[in-house]
Amino acid sequence: MAKYFDVHPENPQPRSIAQVADSVRSDALIAYPTDSCYALGCRLGSRDGIDRIRSIRQLDSRHHFTLVCQDFAQLGQFVQIDNDVFRAIKASTPGSYTFILPATREVPRMLQHPKKKTVGVRIPDHVVTQSLLAELGEPLLSSTLLLPGEEEPMTQGWEIKDRLDHVVDAVIDSGDCGTEPTTVVDFSGGGAEIVRRGAGDTTRFE
């Protein structure tokens, strides 16, 4: 059964956040809220976590996983960014965007797109997520909590606990979060290609 953490949306309880971070370090798979919608998350190098996310969402090898980072400095360790892209991403973070960029050597090969050698990165604008990332000290490997055959991501912590009780290890509930996935912008080809229009405004990338 998944552990259920009822966390204050503006003043997250440090003990609860620390417990979730410890569970992630121990290879747990968690469901957590972001500024776009709920996500599944695990430790960066967790092969078991990746396999479980693929199983829950029925994903193939071409799926771009996302590294959810605390800040721009952390993001810069995992992707290659030139000056123009740097300015565009800097102006859009934190926020409801996922950026696809060439991965650095810090990114395990199993997380990279098999042909493009790219990875998705984002910096969420969400108090609880930021608290967890600060406690963890490294990015969360994540994927939107969108179940197979469903058009909308899951948005209620209690419902996630009820439906995914035996396939995730912990659920963070901090009340309402976003209901729309991130806007995905691919910079790996040089310019900005909008792959998915979502919660983030696309104007500056068009």
Side-chain angles (χ1 to χ4, degrees), residues 61-171:
S61 62
R62 294 170 296 177
H63 176 73
H64 265 107
F65 284 98
T66 299
L67 300 182
V68 178
C69 301
Q70 181 185 2
D71 52 30
F72 204 86
Q74 190 178 73
L75 180 148
Q77 299 174 40
F78 298 96
V79 289
Q80 301 170 35
I81 309 176
D82 65 27
N83 287 339
D84 290 341
V85 175
F86 174 92
R87 285 190 289 269
I89 294 178
K90 185 76 170 176
S92 307
T93 54
S96 299
Y97 298 91
T98 298
F99 301 103
I100 298 173
L101 291 156
T104 68
R105 293 181 180 180
E106 298 294 320
V107 180
R109 185 170 295 177
M110 61 183 174
L111 303 186
Q112 300 178 26
H113 187 282
K115 292 184 178 180
K116 298 180 180 179
K117 308 303 181 190
T118 51
V119 70
V121 288
R122 68 170 302 222
I123 302 171
D125 187 13
H126 193 279
V127 173
V128 174
T129 314
Q130 282 289 341
S131 295
L132 177 58
L133 291 168
E135 179 67 28
L136 194 59
E138 64 179 39
L140 272 169
L141 168 64
S142 293
S143 182
T144 302
L145 212 177
L146 180 62
L147 297 181
E150 298 194 1
E151 295 183 2
E152 298 290 334
M154 300 183 73
T155 60
Q156 299 292 331
W158 61 267
E159 182 186 10
I160 293 167
K161 162 72 171 164
D162 187 50
R163 293 185 63 181
L164 302 182
D165 204 22
H166 297 289
V167 291
V168 301
D169 301 303
V171 176

Side-chain angles (χ1 to χ4, degrees), residues 27-29 42-43 45-53 110 169:
D27 242 13
L29 177 63
C42 66
R43 184 174 56 84
S46 175
R47 182 172 290 277
D48 178 65
I50 292 173
D51 290 344
R52 291 168 70 187
I53 292 173
M110 61 183 174
D169 301 303

Side-chain angles (χ1 to χ4, degrees), residues 172-205:
I172 299 177
D173 190 345
S174 60
D176 292 341
C177 70
T179 58
E180 192 174 9
T182 57
T183 290
V184 179
V185 184
D186 188 345
F187 281 107
S188 64
E193 178 188 353
I194 299 169
V195 177
R196 179 179 71 196
R197 295 178 187 273
D201 182 9
T202 60
T203 305
R204 64 166 53 93
F205 303 109

